[in-house]
């Protein structure tokens, strides 16, 4: 390219002041822009041309036509220009650019068409090209006007036409191709993500968030308002990416491979932002030296003065640079946060999948530890993603700062730098101390959380045994003596650390200036001082963050190791059982066969738990497994499911499996969802199942029938209902093999019989399927096709009932002869009717038939229904959907405030923290800012003094004043921190926690039944942590930032009064943005928090039901459910981070405008009346600070608001209605009370909650001293309510209870509950030693404990344990079998030696021999003088009672001795006994 201009190819013109040469403009600026456009269009057109054109709306087609017309017009103008130049032979500097232009515009037309018809968002190339082209043309036109127009006039006119038409097409391009299209919802609940159609400016400025922000101001945002995820961000895809990468690499490399792409882009943005940030001080220096130059030659002729335009150009460049910096910084943040989110989602999915296949050796990891991997470790890696890049950008920033400082101050700058570098190890040392303290604090917190979760899971026992104080002591000991002491230390160290950090930059500046003033001959003027200070400020951030990021990286490394060890942990043996899919099985086909099986729980166990097992089970066969407690009955079922390790032999299963475990696992979902268990809903069969499992009457009592939500672990249901619900799930699955683990233990005998006949027995729903029933009961033995008897993991005998009973020496034969048919502990008994009993002396009683006709009738009806569909077809599995999940609600919806946090909450917090402390804190903060401003003013006067003197003389006065102000500002900062952190923060933390714990302990039991444990635990871990460690920091940050902002406004306003006019519109914009932001971000943060807990809840719930999930082979369904929960959380999380970016872009724009205003005002003042550089430097160094301060102000205001929500929730929690007082000092009974044990109910009526029906109606009974009373009745008759009434778990509505002539409603709850003992239906144990479990209060000697254990038949077992009484008990007592847990609760009651004992189904989980032994203890000398109330499903346990109380529908039906009641064949007790097959035994006696 030739240049036809006298100035040739140089860049800056030497003929005109502050201008470039025409050849540079046309040959380089224009040509390069047009060339780049051409290249991109060629590449892009090929990629777009292969795509299918999409359907356009009518409006969109019009936009396309208009754009094409406008660009065609621009093309014509451009060709006209070229032809005009060629014809008139105008000597343009570079002709090439005029030839390139029409070609480029033609390519732009092609790109416009292709992009509009084939893409969903506007073309980024065109959107960036037109503004750049316009800016270049502006420079070119100015040069042309300066040189003179001449023949150039037509060329400029047609160029202007090209630009005008181009800008119009640019405006239409901004609208985008999707204009007027209908939103596509389809299957999804959420509208699609606006990012898919947003153009580049919308992405840069986050305007795609604006519609949501607008909505947030008008109404509270709900989950449905949030946009869906982009498909690639759905957790299913994210976890696939991570799994594929993990197949080839170790974990951390895999994370990089899976999610590293966008992260690298973020690094690019960060580097760009760093360079732009360090260009600001350089531009400031240029501006200040320009002002000094201009000021010194103000009165010279115009030619000698610098061009006015130069100052305005610097202002424009500063403005553009700060906008570009904002865009790149926020793009960097957005990308790192998104990457963090992807990392967490991927990890959580992978951890969940792994947890489903963990082998038993690894199950020793407590549920809490695995949940920690999800909550803590995955979150740590997420946090690392957000700040990790500082490890790269920090060194770059430090280098840039060194170079810039050296240019300004020469070598003396390095004195300051040396101080900074020296401060880094000091800071690292402090950080290390802090980290150690924080780790210790984490341990303390875990200790307390563990105690809390223990407390919550055993709350019923704790209330019944009156153990609250013992637990309170444990918790408060950890809280006050460990947590709060450590908090105080952390507070002091942190306060010193913060003072150090505010002090070091000031010390650095002081040292550098002093050195420079002493050593350098060059005067320190404003254009050196202020840029240097802003560089020192910039340096502060990377140095401070660097240490933090290093510790983050170390933490993340630890987390990666922990995750790695978990993800590579041993898995279940994949081939433990061989599953064959059998499309059709016919009667008699083999369903299960085990050949020579040896099984153990641990992989390397020496002795197998089950040895040499041989079984075959055919379709239609009923197989019974009997054995004593701990013989390995449940293990046998686990081996069939594949939960155990198979050492030898083979297990083959043909077809599907269903399983009902001994401890029913109930999900917190509706009853129907629990039964369907992701199978298709088939109404006919579903109703049959409900009828067969006797769930009809129970559902009738629930508020919404089978759509009622059952709480966590099925807390709202009774034990029997849970067992039958779990059974119904197994029946509904219609599997080829159904495994039932003692599922009749928890139900009444007549219900057990109904269930056996209609579900399990030869006429039942499952009659055509293979079924294995583990049982302790011998009630239904005759109806089994095959029985096996296990002892210590070996099958002692097996065969049909007839074969086994024929051998008098056999175990089963002994068992049956020893116990008759008198029902076993599974709470079921064969009716004497159907099978004839084992004892020969039975004569069939005629009435039995009459009574049983209804039952027979019912059996006929069900078997009729059965005949219609002999073997039910298998149900289809219905995969979950996101829509279903969003609709689910829990039992009680978590308390979630909406809108602004009420001022009462702030008042409550400040009151808890101490008002005087808070006032002093505010005063110190204001004083600190004032001192800092005065220090800066000192510098300004010193700079001006030096400029006038021309040297650094008389500096000591200035340095001294500057030093004193800086020092006092630092010290005041330290004092304010100590006041907030140590004084106010600690007091509030202590008070809030203690108030909440106190309220919780005093809450009635009904509160715990309605509130999921997870929610209360969340309050005590997350919210207390916020109150302890976050709130003080955030409030301090907010007050400090507010003070900074006020002082900035004061400084700028007092220096340039006209600036105050600009404050009004800027302030309006600022407040408006703030209003939008606070309204939306608050709700988004709440949604994020609320959608996060279901992930953890689902996770811990799944861990509890692992064997059930595996047995039903529903892992894929559960994994999908987990992924939907993660997606739901991500849908809430993404907008909650984007909203911060939306805010930052807008606020930084305000900041950039403030800088622009100040520079323009300075320029105007300079040209009109003159201004000194010191003032401009001072004001600008504050103005440059405004951006970050304004941003921080809104941020910290919203942080305070988001975190004060924790206080709001804590205060809400303290308002629970408490139960009656624990102790009434004026009504304390004597220590001997109750001495007789006479219990009297006087006209007693009660209900569970106001508004519900009465559960007990007008009860009038009196017991005699040390009488044994049996309580029986059908399910829901009010047996357990009677017990709860005795302990005042429910308070009377009318009437009262009197024990030994003391009205129990008139004494404190503790006095009452500690004087009565109970053995509850569900044995609660807690983590700790056996001794702690038997005697939590530590009130008894070891000798007494051993005696109690001996009486409870546990001595032998405990003696064999290596650590005896100090043997550890796992969480929930999972290291003991169900029977052993019940015996342990017996030992507790034996220890307490009270005069009244309540047994609630106390022996439902033990085998017959142990049961008999327990009955002997109860009737033995230990309990001679004790009044005993026994609630029983199995009547044989209460046959020997002195009197029997029969309950019906909450009323006393009968109350007399068993013998009298049995003589009357019309009595209720008689019919119950007859159903249980006991009548014939008792009568002849």
């Amino acid at each position: 390219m030739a240049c036809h201009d006298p100035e040739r190819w140089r860049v800056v013109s030497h003929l005109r002041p502050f201008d470039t040469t025409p050849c540079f403009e046309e040959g380089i600026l224009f040509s390069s822009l047009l060339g780049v456009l051409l290249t991109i269009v060629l590449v892009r057109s090929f990629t777009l041309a292969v795509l299918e054109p999409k359907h356009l709306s009518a409006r969109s087609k019009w936009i396309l036509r208009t754009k094409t017309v406008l660009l065609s017009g621009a093309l014509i103008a451009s060709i006209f220009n070229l032809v005009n130049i060629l014809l008139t032979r105008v000597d343009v500097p570079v002709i090439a650019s005029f030839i390139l232009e029409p070609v480029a515009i033609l390519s732009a037309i092609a790109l416009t068409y292709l992009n509009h018809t084939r893409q969903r968002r506007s073309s980024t190339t065109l959107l960036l090209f037109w503004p750049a082209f316009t800016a270049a043309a502006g420079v070119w036109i100015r040069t042309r006007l300066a040189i003179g127009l001449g023949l150039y006039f037509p060329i400029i006119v047609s160029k202007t036409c090209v630009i005008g038409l181009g800008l119009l097409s640019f405006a239409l391009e901004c609208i985008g191709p999707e204009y007027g299209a209908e939103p596509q919802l389809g299957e999804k609940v959420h509208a699609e993500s606006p990012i898919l159609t947003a153009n580049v400016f919308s992405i840069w400025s986050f305007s795609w968030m604006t519609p949501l922000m607008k909505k947030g101001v008008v109404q509270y945002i709900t989950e449905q308002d949030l946009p869906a995820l982009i498909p690639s961000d759905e957790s299913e895809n994210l976890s696939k990416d991570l799994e594929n990468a993990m197949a080839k690499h170790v974990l951390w490399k895999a994370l990089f491979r899976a999610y590293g792409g966008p992260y690298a882009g973020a690094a690019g943005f960060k580097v760009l932002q760093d360079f732009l940030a360090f260009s600001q001080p350089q531009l400031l220096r240029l501006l200040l030296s320009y002002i000094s130059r201009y000021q010194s030659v103000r009165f010279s002729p115009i030619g000698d003065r610098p061009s006015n335009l130069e100052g305005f150009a610097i202002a424009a460049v500063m403005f553009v640079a700060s906008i570009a910096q904002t865009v790149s910084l926020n793009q960097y943040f957005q990308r790192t946060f998104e990457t963090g989110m992807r990392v967490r989602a991927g990890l959580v999915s992978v951890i969940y999948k792994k947890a489903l296949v963990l082998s038993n050796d690894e199950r020793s990891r407590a549920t809490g530890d695995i949940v920690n991997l999800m909550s803590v470790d995955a979150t740590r890696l997420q946090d690392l993603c957000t700040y990790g890049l500082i490890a790269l950008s920090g060194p770059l920033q430090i280098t840039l700062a060194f170079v810039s400082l050296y240019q300004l101050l020469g070598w003396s700058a390095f004195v300051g730098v040396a101080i900074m570098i020296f401060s880094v190890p000091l800071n690292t040392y402090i950080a290390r101390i802090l980290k150690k303290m924080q780790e210790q604090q984490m341990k303390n917190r875990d200790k307390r959380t563990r105690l809390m979760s223990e407390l919550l899971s055993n709350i019923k026992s704790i209330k019944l045994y009156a153990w609250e104080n013992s637990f309170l002591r444990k918790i408060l000991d950890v809280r006050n003596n460990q947590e709060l002491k450590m908090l105080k230390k952390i507070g002091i160290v942190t306060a010193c650390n913060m003072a150090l950090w505010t002090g070091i930059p000031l010390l650095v500046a002081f040292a550098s200036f002093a050195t420079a003033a002493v050593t350098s001959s060059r005067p320190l003027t404003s254009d050196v001082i202020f840029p240097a200070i802003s560089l020192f400020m910039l340096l502060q951030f990377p140095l401070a963050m660097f240490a933090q990021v290093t510790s983050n990286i170390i933490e993340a490394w630890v987390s990666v190791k922990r995750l790695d060890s978990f993800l590579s942990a041993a898995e279940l043996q994949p081939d433990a059982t061989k599953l064959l899919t059998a499309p059709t099985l016919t009667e008699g086909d083999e369903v299960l066969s085990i050949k020579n099986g040896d099984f153990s729980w641990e992989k390397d166990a020496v002795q197998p738990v089950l040895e040499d097992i041989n079984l075959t089970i055919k379709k239609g066969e009923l197989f019974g497994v009997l054995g004593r407690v701990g013989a390995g009955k449940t293990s046998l079922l686990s081996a069939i499911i594949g939960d155990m390790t198979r050492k030898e032999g083979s297990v083959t299963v043909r077809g599907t499996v269903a399983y009902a475990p001994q401890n029913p696992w109930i999900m917190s979902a509706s009853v129907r969802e629990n039964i369907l268990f992701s199978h298709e809903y088939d109404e006919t069969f579903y109703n049959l199942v409900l009828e067969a499992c006797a769930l009809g009457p129970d559902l009738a009592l629930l508020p919404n029938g089978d759509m009622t939500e059952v709480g966590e672990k099925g807390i709202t249901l009774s034990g029997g209902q849970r067992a039958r619900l779990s059974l119904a799930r197994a029946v509904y699955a219609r599997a080829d093999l159904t495994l039932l683990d003692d599922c009749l233990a928890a139900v009444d005998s007549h219900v057990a019989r109904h269930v056996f006949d209609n579900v399990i027995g030869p006429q039942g729903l499952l009659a055509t399927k293979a079924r294995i029933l583990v049982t302790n009961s011998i009630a239904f033995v005759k109806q089994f096709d095959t029985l096996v008897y296990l002892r210590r993991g070996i099958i002692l005998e097996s065969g049909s009932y007839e074969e086994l009973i024929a051998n008098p020496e056999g175990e089963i034969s002994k068992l049956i002869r020893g116990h008759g048919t008198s029902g076993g502990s599974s709470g079921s008994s064969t009716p004497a009717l159907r099978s004839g009993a084992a004892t020969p002396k039975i004569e069939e009683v005629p009435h039995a038939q009459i009574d049983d006709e209804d039952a027979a009738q019912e059996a006929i009806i069900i078997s009729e229904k059965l005949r219609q569909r002999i073997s039910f077809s298998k149900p289809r599995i219905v995969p979950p959907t996101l829509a279903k999940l969003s609709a689910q609600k829990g039992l009680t919806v978590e308390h979630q405030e909406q809108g602004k946090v009420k001022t009462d909450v702030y008042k409550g917090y400040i009151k808890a923290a101490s008002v005087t402390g808070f006032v002093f804190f505010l005063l110190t903060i204001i004083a600190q800012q004032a001192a800092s401003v005065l220090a800066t003013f000192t510098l300004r006067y010193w700079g001006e003094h030096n400029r006038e003197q021309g040297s650094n003389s008389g500096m000591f006065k200035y340095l001294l004043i500057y030093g004193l102000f800086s020092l006092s500002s630092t010290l005041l900062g330290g004092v304010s921190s100590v006041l907030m952190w140590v004084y106010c923060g600690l007091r509030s933390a202590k008070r809030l926690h203690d108030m909440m714990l106190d309220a919780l302990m005093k809450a009635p039991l009904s509160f715990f039944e309605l509130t999921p444990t997870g929610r209360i635990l969340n309050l005590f871990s997350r919210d207390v942590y916020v109150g302890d460690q976050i709130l003080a920091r955030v409030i301090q940050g907010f007050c400090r930032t507010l003070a900074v902002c006020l002082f900035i406004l004061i400084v700028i306003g007092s220096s340039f009064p006209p600036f105050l006019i600009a404050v009004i519109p800027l302030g309006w914009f600022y407040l408006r943005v703030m209003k939008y932001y606070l309204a939306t971000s608050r709700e988004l943060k709440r949604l994020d928090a609320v959608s996060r807990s279901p992930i953890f809840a689902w996770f811990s719930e799944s861990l509890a039901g692992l064997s059930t999930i595996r047995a039903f082979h529903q892992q894929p369904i559960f994994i999908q459910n987990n992924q939907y929960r993660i997606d739901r959380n991500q849908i809430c999380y993404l907008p909650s981070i984007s909203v911060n970016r939306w805010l930052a872009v807008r606020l930084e724009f305000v900041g950039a405008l403030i800088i622009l205003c100040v520079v323009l005002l300075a320029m105007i003042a300079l040209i009109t009346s003159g201004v000194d550089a010191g003032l401009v430097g001072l004001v600008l160094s504050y103005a440059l600070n405004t951006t970050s301060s304004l941003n921080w102000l809104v941020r910290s205001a919203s942080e305070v608001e988001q975190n004060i929500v924790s206080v709001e929730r804590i205060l809400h929690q303290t308002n629970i209605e408490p139960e009656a007082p624990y102790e009434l000092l004026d009504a304390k009974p004597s220590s001997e009370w109750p001495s007789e044990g006479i219990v009297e109910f006087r006209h007693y009526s009660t209900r569970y909650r106001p508004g519900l029906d009465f559960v007990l109606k007008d009860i009038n009974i009196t017991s005699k001293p040390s009488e044994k009373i049996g309580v029986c009745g059908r399910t829901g008759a009010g047996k357990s309510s009677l017990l709860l009434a005795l302990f005042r778990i429910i308070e009377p509505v009318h009437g009262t209870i009197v024990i030994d002539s003391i009205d129990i409603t008139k004494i404190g709850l503790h006095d009452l509950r500690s004087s009565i003992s109970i053995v509850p239906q569900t044995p609660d144990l807690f983590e700790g030693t056996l001794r702690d479990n038997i005697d939590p209060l530590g009130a008894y000697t070891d000798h007494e404990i051993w005696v109690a254990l001996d009486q409870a038949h546990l001595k032998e077992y405990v003696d064999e344990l290596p650590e005896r009484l100090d043997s550890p008990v796992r969480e929930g007592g999972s290291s003991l079998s169900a029977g052993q847990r019940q015996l342990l609760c017996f030992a507790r009651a034996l220890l307490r030696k009270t005069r009244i004992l309540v047994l609630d189904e106390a022996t439902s989980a033990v085998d017959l021999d142990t049961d008999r032994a327990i009955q002997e203890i109860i009737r033995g000398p230990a309990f001679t003088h004790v009044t005993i109330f026994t609630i029983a499903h199995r009547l044989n346990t209460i046959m020997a009672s002195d009197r029997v109380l029969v309950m019906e529908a909450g009323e006393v039906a009968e109350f007399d001795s068993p013998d009298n009641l049995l003589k009357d064949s019309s009595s209720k007790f008689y019919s119950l006994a007859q159903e249980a097959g006991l009548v014939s035994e008792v009568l002849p006696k």
Side-chain angles (χ1 to χ4, degrees), residues 744 747-754 756-757 777-780 783 821-832 835 1433-1436 1472-1478:
L744 300 176
V747 297
D748 298 355
S749 41
H750 63 283
V751 178
R753 175 187 157 200
H754 172 95
F756 187 87
D757 292 347
S777 139
I778 50 165
F780 303 116
Q783 309 196 18
T821 45
S822 62
S825 81
S826 279
S828 43
S829 316
T830 324
S835 49
H1433 283 154
R1434 277 170 331 186
L1435 297 187
N1436 63 322
L1472 285 170
Q1474 182 197 317
E1475 281 178 27
L1478 297 175

Side-chain angles (χ1 to χ4, degrees), residues 1389-1400:
L1390 286 162
L1391 254 190
R1392 284 176 66 143
K1393 305 190 183 67
T1394 53
R1395 296 312 290 268
I1396 297 175
L1397 172 66
V1398 179
L1399 304 176
D1400 181 7

Side-chain angles (χ1 to χ4, degrees), residues 917-1078:
F918 202 73
V919 171
F920 271 106
F921 160 71
L922 289 176
L923 290 174
T924 49
I925 275 194
I926 292 168
Q928 178 197 4
Q929 281 313 313
S932 149
V933 168
L934 290 168
T936 321
F937 266 95
T938 315
L939 284 179
R940 173 205 164 179
Y941 291 120
W942 184 25
E944 284 311 297
H945 165 85
N946 286 350
R947 192 174 64 85
E948 286 160 10
Q949 296 290 325
S951 72
N952 288 327
S953 58
M955 60 184 173
F956 288 107
K957 176 179 77 177
Y958 288 107
L959 272 176
L960 182 69
I961 298 172
Y962 175 62
L964 282 174
F965 278 136
S966 299
L967 182 67
S968 53
S969 130
T970 308
L971 290 176
L972 283 164
V975 172
S976 76
S977 296
V978 169
L979 272 173
M980 188 68 211
W981 280 80
V982 182
Y983 186 67
C984 301
L986 259 183
R987 286 185 57 158
S988 66
K990 182 170 166 47
R991 286 196 187 168
L992 290 171
H993 174 270
D994 293 358
M995 276 158 60
M996 177 161 76
L997 183 60
D998 187 54
L1000 185 80
M1001 287 309 247
K1002 290 185 175 153
L1005 198 61
S1006 57
F1007 167 79
F1008 296 94
E1009 286 171 351
L1010 291 175
T1011 316
T1013 328
R1015 190 183 304 167
I1016 303 177
L1017 268 184
N1018 198 8
L1019 277 169
F1020 275 92
S1021 57
R1022 172 89 189 99
D1023 293 321
V1024 166
Y1025 166 68
V1026 169
D1028 285 355
Q1029 291 190 314
I1030 296 179
L1031 252 179
R1033 190 190 76 217
V1034 210
I1035 289 179
Q1036 185 190 6
F1038 173 70
C1039 297
R1040 183 170 289 175
T1041 322
L1042 186 63
V1044 171
C1045 289
L1046 288 174
F1047 275 97
I1048 288 176
L1049 285 180
I1050 293 168
V1051 170
I1052 301 181
S1054 59
S1055 313
F1056 292 124
F1059 172 74
L1060 295 172
I1061 302 166
V1063 167
I1064 297 166
L1066 286 176
W1068 173 82
F1069 178 72
Y1070 182 74
L1071 287 170
R1072 196 181 151 116
V1073 164
M1074 191 158 166
K1075 180 177 139 196
Y1076 271 40
Y1077 171 76
L1078 285 178

Side-chain angles (χ1 to χ4, degrees), residues 64-211:
L64 177 60
R65 286 171 200 149
T66 318
K67 283 197 288 198
T68 319
V69 170
L70 290 169
L71 287 174
S72 308
L75 178 65
I76 293 163
S78 182
I79 295 172
F80 167 77
N81 211 357
L82 179 60
V83 173
N84 176 36
I85 291 171
L86 294 173
L87 292 178
T88 53
R89 302 242 171 110
V90 178
D91 195 10
V92 291
V94 181
I95 187 81
S97 72
F98 290 93
I99 299 170
L100 256 178
E101 189 180 83
V103 182
I105 292 175
L106 184 63
S107 71
I109 296 177
L111 180 61
T112 302
Y113 175 76
L114 284 171
N115 188 77
H116 198 99
T117 51
R118 287 168 171 77
Q119 285 287 320
R120 302 194 58 192
R121 53 169 70 149
S122 313
S123 162
T124 305
T125 315
L126 295 172
L127 289 181
L128 295 178
F129 169 74
W130 285 112
F133 190 67
T134 311
V139 175
W140 176 76
I141 290 173
R142 183 213 159 204
T143 307
R144 272 293 138 212
L145 293 172
I147 296 174
L149 283 175
L151 294 169
Y152 256 84
F153 185 68
I155 298 176
I156 286 185
V157 170
S158 47
K159 194 79 154 181
T160 317
C161 289
V162 171
I163 288 165
L165 293 166
L167 286 176
L168 286 172
S169 88
F170 162 81
L172 289 175
E173 186 67 48
C174 286
I175 294 174
E178 291 270 305
Y179 185 66
E182 289 298 313
Q184 305 285 313
L185 252 179
E187 284 292 294
K188 308 228 169 166
V189 194
H190 299 270
E192 67 166 8
S193 169
I195 298 184
L196 295 172
T197 54
N199 66 33
V200 65
F201 296 125
S202 171
I203 286 175
W204 282 356
S205 64
F206 291 88
S207 303
W208 54 271
M209 282 288 294
T210 310

Side-chain angles (χ1 to χ4, degrees), residues 3-21:
C3 169
H4 306 287
D5 184 80
E7 290 188 280
R8 313 306 306 156
W9 284 106
R10 56 170 48 187
V11 180
V12 181
S13 163
H14 58 284
L15 303 175
R16 297 172 302 285
F18 198 67
D19 198 3
T20 46
T21 62

Side-chain angles (χ1 to χ4, degrees), residues 1314-1331:
S1314 50
S1315 321
I1316 318 178
S1317 294
I1318 177 168
V1319 179
Q1321 184 174 3
T1322 46
D1324 282 339
L1325 301 189
F1326 14 86
E1327 206 169 350
T1329 61
L1330 277 173
R1331 181 187 281 106

